[in-house]
């Protein structure tokens, strides 16, 4: 046993230094040089100030903005320092109540819209920070946003299309709309 | 199941099986000590450590070396967490982790479980993430690999007293297999948007002001509660969003490649900074299965009969396809309770459809469900969607994947040695049926091997069922339940299943960061890991010492479709006999209530 102690300690310390310091620091150096924007968090700047990240959603409740996925982070939604899902099971009455509340808020903001609401608009995302909604969820909100801004629907629709990505490589993931990018484009239109 | 889902599954398996062969041959080449180019760096390690690389060990010494090496890992990760406030690379000034949580996390990462009782971005500084967790992501993976290599040597050698040198094997697996592949994957992930920096958390000004209910805090910063224990809140508002930062890509790569699964952030691979695109998701799923699949090829090469490896890989792949197709169809069906509220869950070109609670829009129901099947078939435990919110049967499949003993690909190394133990059980059962002494790869399977197999197979069900019983019978255990009804029982069953089988995923609603669960689950993880490793190494030693018999007319071939069927049957028989009653009380009851009403 004693003859195992020295190799155990030395191999442990050496491999720790290589995999726990040299490796992450080397990746930091290379990623920072080759992909500087991504490595720093894909930040979006407006007038030189950071207004968010392309990858991290923000909460929206203004009828003139597109709304994103409901978020279960605490204490405030889209808390990017404490990611979390709701972890509510499919039969949990709290889930049913939460979905009813979200449906009521969406309907109240757009009373004339009788179309069924796409599921991603009323269910909390896994991270609580989902930056995307489905194209169906964006189109469902199109009329409301256009009216609130006094814009023709075709113009808003063009912005939605411009911020929509299809499936990656044609077969990976789902088509999606980046909500923050879309709302920034809408706000830029007004000025 | 949609066309998209089938296409995704097909593409995944095609890329995986294409990559498995070259990597498997490389691993055999590396672990047989034929990689000359690596010698100079290796020799520096051996010289500093006082290791004589050509000096081989018997199984017992090999096992002691592994145990000692892993015990050092527990001490190191525990100490780093307790002392993090005094150490560098902690820009958020994260406080010392509580003793029970630090103990749980240390055992969790050393045993390749990577169960997380804590939220990463709100608990751990960057030094703990790098020098504690990333290191164990490498070393626990290397441990799994060297144990299966020792077992393969036991089968390949004859009349031998030794199974290899643990220090040499650990060094080679870490430096020349895990490190270069992780490096490559980390850079690819960074290109997709996974962050990699050592910056303090970044504050940004949001477009809108958010109004919310904030908990009221007392002078010590603890939330105030009313006399019923409910937290008191007050209205608050903010226009600032704090973005958690960190060296994520480097950890993410080995988290997947080593089937570790411990996320940098609380939301794990659902977090857009850990898993930003469908492509990064695809790469992560591949990384999970890559080494477990390749090791089957290495096995065939090292025992001198490639067909033996392909047979094991075929059994794993067949079981996986059934599991993956099942989760994807159940999740794409959606939740009937939401359908009753008029929610549109129908999939199409404009939306994924299905059960989307706890899932990300970029992955939708299909890519999330496939990830769940992969991460639980392998003992990875990373999640890109919250399993707690899956449909009852969509959540049952991940549970069963783990309960079968993590042998459908399984963890790096652990999956293959688990499957080889089942292979030995399968030849034993068929030996009984035809009345001949069972043999596997020319090795006679005798009482000692069967005892070790029985221990290795039965230790995890014992831990799972006993642990679940203790938790549901105790106040502290029931206090953690988040969801009412049968689902609450499933949360506890899932936690013990995940810990004892070293998976690490969770029905995460369970409040497990309590002294009760931290200690119970740490014990389940430790014995679930080393309670299997030690008998497997003992078997390796005994097999190495045996003579090799020539195959005769009565020898059962262990490479054809007959044996693959027999192997799958054995795995299912043992798994189902152990767990059907527990599953009936949890997800099956829940499924009936959800669809038939109650």
């Amino acid at each position: 046993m004693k003859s195992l102690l020295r190799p155990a300690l030395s191999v442990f310390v050496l491999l720790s230094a290589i995999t726990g310091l040299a490796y992450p620091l080397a990746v930091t150096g290379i990623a920072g040089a080759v992909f500087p924007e991504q490595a720093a968090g894909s930040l979006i700047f407006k007038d030189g100030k950071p207004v968010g990240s392309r990858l991290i959603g923000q909460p929206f409740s203004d009828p003139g903005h597109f709304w994103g996925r409901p978020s279960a982070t605490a204490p405030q939604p889209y808390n990017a320092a404490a990611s979390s899902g709701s972890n509510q099971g499919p039969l949990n009455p709290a889930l049913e109540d939460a979905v009813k509340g979200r449906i009521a808020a969406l309907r109240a903001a757009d009373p004339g819209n009788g179309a069924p609401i796409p599921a991603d608009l009323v269910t909390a995302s896994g991270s609580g920070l989902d930056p995307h909604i489905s194209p169906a969820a964006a189109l469902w909100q199109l009329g409301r946003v256009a009216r609130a801004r006094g814009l023709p629907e075709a113009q808003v629709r063009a912005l939605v299309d411009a911020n929509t990505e299809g499936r990656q490589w044609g077969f990976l993931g789902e088509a999606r709309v980046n909500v923050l990018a879309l709302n920034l484009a809408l706000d830029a239109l007004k000025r | 199941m949609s066309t998209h889902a089938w296409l995704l599954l097909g593409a995944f398996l095609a890329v995986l099986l294409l990559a498995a062969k070259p990597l498997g041959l490389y691993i055999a080449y590396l672990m047989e000590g034929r990689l000359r180019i690596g010698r100079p760096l290796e020799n520096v390690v051996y010289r500093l450590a006082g290791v004589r690389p050509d000096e081989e060990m018997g199984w017992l010494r090999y096992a002691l070396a592994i145990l000692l090496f892993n015990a050092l890992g527990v001490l190191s990760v525990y100490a780093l967490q307790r002392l993090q406030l005094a150490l560098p690379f902690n820009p958020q000034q994260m406080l010392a982790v509580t003793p029970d949580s630090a103990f749980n996390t240390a055992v969790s990462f050393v045993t390749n479980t990577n169960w997380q009782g804590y939220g990463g971005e709100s608990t751990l500084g960057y030094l703990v993430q790098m020098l504690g967790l990333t290191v164990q992501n490498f070393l626990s993976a290397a441990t799994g690999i060297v144990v299966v290599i020792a077992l393969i040597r036991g089968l390949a050698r004859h009349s031998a007293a030794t199974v290899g040198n643990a220090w040499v094997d650990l060094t080679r697996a870490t430096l020349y297999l895990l490190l270069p592949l992780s490096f490559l994957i980390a850079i690819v992930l960074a290109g997709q948007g996974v962050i990699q920096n050592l910056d303090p958390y970044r504050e940004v000004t949001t477009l809108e002001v958010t109004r919310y209910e904030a908990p009221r805090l007392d002078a010590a910063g603890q939330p105030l509660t009313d006399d019923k224990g409910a937290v008191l809140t007050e209205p608050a508002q903010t226009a600032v969003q704090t973005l958690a930062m960190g060296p994520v890509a480097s950890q993410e790569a080995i988290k997947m490649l080593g089937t570790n699964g411990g996320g940098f952030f609380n939301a794990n691979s659902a977090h857009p900074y850990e898993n930003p695109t469908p492509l990064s998701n695809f790469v992560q799923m591949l990384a999970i299965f890559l080494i477990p699949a390749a090791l089957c090829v290495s096995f065939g090469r090292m025992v001198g009969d490639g067909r033996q490896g392909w047979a094991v890989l075929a059994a794993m792949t067949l079981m996986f396809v059934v599991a993956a197709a099942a989760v994807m169809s159940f999740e794409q069906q959606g939740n009937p309770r939401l359908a009753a509220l008029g929610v549109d869950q129908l999939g199409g070109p404009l939306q994924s459809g299905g059960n989307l609670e706890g899932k990300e829009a970029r992955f939708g129901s299909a890519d999330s469900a496939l990830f769940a099947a992969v991460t639980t078939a392998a003992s990875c435990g990373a999640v890109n969607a919250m399993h707690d919110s899956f449909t009852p049967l969509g959540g049952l499949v991940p549970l069963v994947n783990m309960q079968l003993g993590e042998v459908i690909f399984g963890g790096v190394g652990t999956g293959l040695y688990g499957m080889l133990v089942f292979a030995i059980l399968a030849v034993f059962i068929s030996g009984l049926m035809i009345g001949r002494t069972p043999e596997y790869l020319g090795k006679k399977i005798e009482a000692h091997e069967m005892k070790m197999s029985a221990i290795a197979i039965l230790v995890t069900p014992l831990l799972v069922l006993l642990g679940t019983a203790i938790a549901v019978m105790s106040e502290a255990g029931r206090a953690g339940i988040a969801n009412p009804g049968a689902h609450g029982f499933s949360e506890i069953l899932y936690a013990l299943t995940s810990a004892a089988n070293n998976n690490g995923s969770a029905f995460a609603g369970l409040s497990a960061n309590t002294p009760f669960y931290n200690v119970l689950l740490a014990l389940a993880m430790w014995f679930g890991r080393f309670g299997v490793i030690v008998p497997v190494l003992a078997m390796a030693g005994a097999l190495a010492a045996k003579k090799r018999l020539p195959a005769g007319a009565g020898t059962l071939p262990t490479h054809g479709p007959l044996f693959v069927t027999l192997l799958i049957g054995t795995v299912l028989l043992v798994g189902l006999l152990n767990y059907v009653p527990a599953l009936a009380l949890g997800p099956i009851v829940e499924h009936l209530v959800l669809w038939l009403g109650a």
Side-chain angles (χ1 to χ4, degrees):
Chain A
M1 190 74 185
K2 225 168 117 189
S3 61
L4 286 172
L5 201 60
R6 177 175 163 212
L9 262 174
S10 332
V11 173
F12 181 76
V13 169
L14 288 168
L15 293 184
S16 291
I18 294 171
T19 59
L21 291 174
Y23 160 71
L25 296 179
V27 175
T28 307
I30 292 175
V34 185
F35 304 113
E37 274 183 49
Q38 289 93 324
S42 305
L43 300 175
I44 304 175
F45 291 89
K46 201 166 96 180
D47 311 324
K49 280 194 305 193
V51 293
S53 160
R54 270 195 71 78
L55 294 178
I56 305 289
Q58 290 184 8
F60 294 103
S61 55
D62 184 330
H65 279 140
F66 284 88
W67 300 358
R69 303 285 307 276
S71 163
T73 61
Q76 76 271 29
Y78 287 91
N79 179 356
S83 57
S84 171
S86 74
N87 284 312
Q88 285 161 343
L91 267 172
N92 193 331
L95 172 65
E96 209 169 325
D97 289 347
V99 172
K100 277 183 191 160
R102 292 163 190 156
I103 292 174
L106 285 161
R107 296 262 179 233
D110 191 4
N113 185 351
I117 303 175
D120 57 317
L121 262 190
V122 294
T123 50
S125 62
S127 62
L129 306 173
D130 196 341
H132 299 113
I133 51 176
S134 66
L139 295 179
W140 193 91
Q141 304 181 65
L142 191 68
R144 183 197 76 216
V145 174
R147 265 196 312 285
R149 294 195 168 245
L151 291 170
E153 281 196 14
Q155 197 179 357
V156 180
R157 169 100 201 213
L159 279 185
V160 170
D161 290 344
N163 285 286
T164 301
E165 287 173 87
R167 284 191 169 132
Q168 208 166 358
W169 292 4
F171 73 100
L172 295 174
E174 299 290 339
R176 58 212 182 275
V177 181
N178 190 309
V179 182
L180 177 60
L182 173 59
N183 285 333
L184 279 167
L186 273 173
D187 286 359
L189 213 58
K190 201 167 58 182
R191 278 188 292 168
Chain B
M1 215 170 117
S2 67
T3 326
H4 162 65
W6 281 116
L7 203 62
L8 180 72
L9 177 59
F12 174 70
L13 287 174
V15 179
L16 176 74
L17 295 176
L18 279 177
K21 185 166 179 186
L23 183 64
L25 294 180
Y26 170 74
I27 295 174
Y29 184 79
L30 170 70
M31 300 312 286
E32 284 171 347
R34 292 193 280 158
L35 187 76
R36 290 268 162 77
I37 223 178
R39 286 290 164 74
L41 177 59
E42 259 180 76
N43 285 337
V44 174
V45 174
Y46 303 147
R47 212 169 27 249
L48 288 171
V51 170
R52 267 189 262 147
D54 45 1
E55 196 177 78
E56 290 233 336
M57 301 172 173
W59 80 266
L60 187 60
R61 194 168 165 77
Y62 200 98
L64 284 173
I66 295 288
L67 284 172
L68 191 61
F69 188 71
N70 280 277
L72 286 176
V74 174
L75 290 179
S76 161
V77 179
Y78 182 83
L80 282 167
Q81 290 178 85
R82 299 285 292 146
L83 301 174
Q84 66 170 339
L85 196 54
L87 297 170
F89 293 125
N90 185 2
Q92 296 310 117
Q93 294 292 295
M94 298 291 185
L95 302 176
V97 181
T98 58
D100 58 299
S101 175
F103 169 65
N104 180 282
T105 304
V107 171
S108 166
F109 278 73
V110 167
T111 56
N112 200 263
T113 313
N114 308 54
W115 169 268
Q116 294 176 288
Y118 60 92
E121 66 269 50
S122 51
T123 315
L124 298 182
Y126 301 156
L127 190 74
V128 179
Q129 297 269 22
M130 295 192 298
L131 197 54
L133 306 190
T134 302
V135 166
Q136 284 310 317
N137 281 351
F138 277 98
L139 300 186
S140 65
T143 297
I145 293 171
V146 306
V147 170
V148 80
I149 293 293
L151 178 61
I152 295 172
R153 286 188 189 126
L155 287 163
R157 293 174 177 183
H158 53 93
S159 317
T162 60
V163 294
N165 181 314
W167 310 123
V168 172
D169 290 344
L170 285 167
T171 306
R172 285 182 181 153
T174 306
L175 292 186
Y176 300 134
L177 174 61
L178 299 172
L179 197 58
L181 276 177
S182 298
F183 201 86
L184 198 71
I185 294 170
I187 300 298
V188 170
L189 290 178
Q192 286 295 302
V194 179
I195 58 173
Q196 179 73 24
N197 60 60
L198 298 166
D199 302 339
Y201 291 4
R202 189 86 192 228
E203 293 199 338
V204 299
T205 313
T206 53
L207 259 60
E208 288 186 16
V209 173
T210 310
R211 283 170 231 288
Y212 63 100
E213 291 293 317
R216 278 168 58 188
L217 303 179
D218 62 16
Q222 294 301 310
L224 289 166
T225 53
D226 64 15
D227 44 6
K228 285 185 193 130
V231 175
L232 295 171
T233 60
E234 59 195 355
Q237 63 177 48
T238 180
V240 173
Q241 190 181 37
T242 305
L243 305 177
M245 292 282 134
V248 180
S250 54
Q251 185 162 333
E252 198 66 19
I254 186 63
K255 160 189 153 191
M256 298 302 174
L257 187 69
T259 61
N260 293 286
F264 196 97
F265 300 115
N266 186 45
N268 209 300
S269 280
H271 197 296
Y273 275 165
E274 281 201 37
N275 193 3
T277 66
L279 180 60
S280 67
N281 193 57
F282 194 70
V283 170
Q284 294 193 2
M285 291 192 293
L286 276 177
I288 296 174
F289 269 7
L290 194 56
I291 294 180
L295 278 169
C296 296
V297 177
S298 318
F299 161 63
R301 165 58 63 107
M302 290 174 77
V303 299
D305 181 359
R307 296 171 306 174
Q308 304 292 341
W310 291 112
V312 172
L313 187 56
M316 290 177 172
T317 308
L318 285 172
M319 283 191 278
F320 170 70
V321 168
V322 173
V327 195
M328 291 205 274
S329 354
F330 294 136
E331 289 309 293
Q332 290 195 323
Q333 278 173 11
N335 181 343
R337 294 283 163 110
L338 300 196
L341 298 175
V343 175
D344 179 8
Q345 301 180 92
L346 201 65
L350 293 180
Q351 66 168 344
S352 116
N355 173 30
L356 290 180
E357 180 71 23
K359 294 190 179 64
E360 299 282 296
R362 61 194 178 283
F363 307 137
S365 47
D367 296 50
S368 300
L370 180 60
F371 194 106
V374 171
T375 195
T376 52
S379 75
C380 180
V383 296
N384 77 347
M386 297 303 129
H387 292 187
D388 215 349
S389 299
F390 273 31
T391 59
L393 296 187
L396 172 123
V397 177
L399 253 175
V400 171
N401 275 344
M402 295 186 283
Q403 289 169 341
L404 293 180
E406 291 295 14
V407 294
I408 309 175
F409 293 94
V412 287
T414 65
L416 182 57
Y417 66 63
M419 199 52 134
L420 291 178
V421 169
F422 274 112
I424 286 169
L425 182 63
V427 295
F428 175 73
I429 293 174
S430 52
L432 290 181
M433 289 194 283
I434 55 175
R436 291 188 63 100
T437 311
E439 52 190 80
Y440 186 53
L441 303 174
K443 296 295 173 89
K444 222 185 245 180
I445 304 302
E446 292 167 298
H448 177 72
E449 288 75 51
M450 287 322 298
K451 277 184 211 156
M452 294 302 124
S453 304
I455 296 174
I457 287 174
L458 292 177
V459 69
T460 47
L462 189 73
L463 291 167
V464 171
L465 296 174
L466 207 64
T468 304
I470 291 172
V472 295
M473 285 190 303
S474 60
E475 194 64 40
R478 289 193 303 270
I481 293 174
N483 283 285
H487 197 86
F489 173 74
S490 302
E491 285 181 344
I492 293 179
L493 179 64
Y494 197 106
L496 269 302
T497 301
S498 171
N501 288 288
N502 299 139
N503 181 277
S505 66
F507 273 8
L510 186 74
S511 302
N513 195 1
T514 60
F516 175 81
Y517 276 113
N518 278 331
V519 172
L520 180 71
L521 296 174
L523 292 175
M525 291 188 277
W526 183 263
F527 289 104
R529 174 83 165 173
F530 296 103
V532 178
I533 282 183
V534 173
V536 164
L537 285 174
M539 194 151 59
L543 289 169
K546 285 176 195 276
K547 290 201 189 83
R548 177 175 299 159
L549 306 169
T555 308
L556 172 78
T558 50
H559 52 73
L562 177 66
F563 183 71
V564 172
T565 313
L566 199 61
L567 183 55
I568 294 176
T570 310
V571 171
L572 293 180
L573 185 72
V574 172
L576 294 181
L577 284 178
N578 280 322
Y579 291 110
V580 162
L583 292 171
L585 292 175
I588 294 174
V589 166
E590 196 189 2
H591 174 77
L592 296 175
V593 173
L594 182 65
W595 288 93
L596 302 177

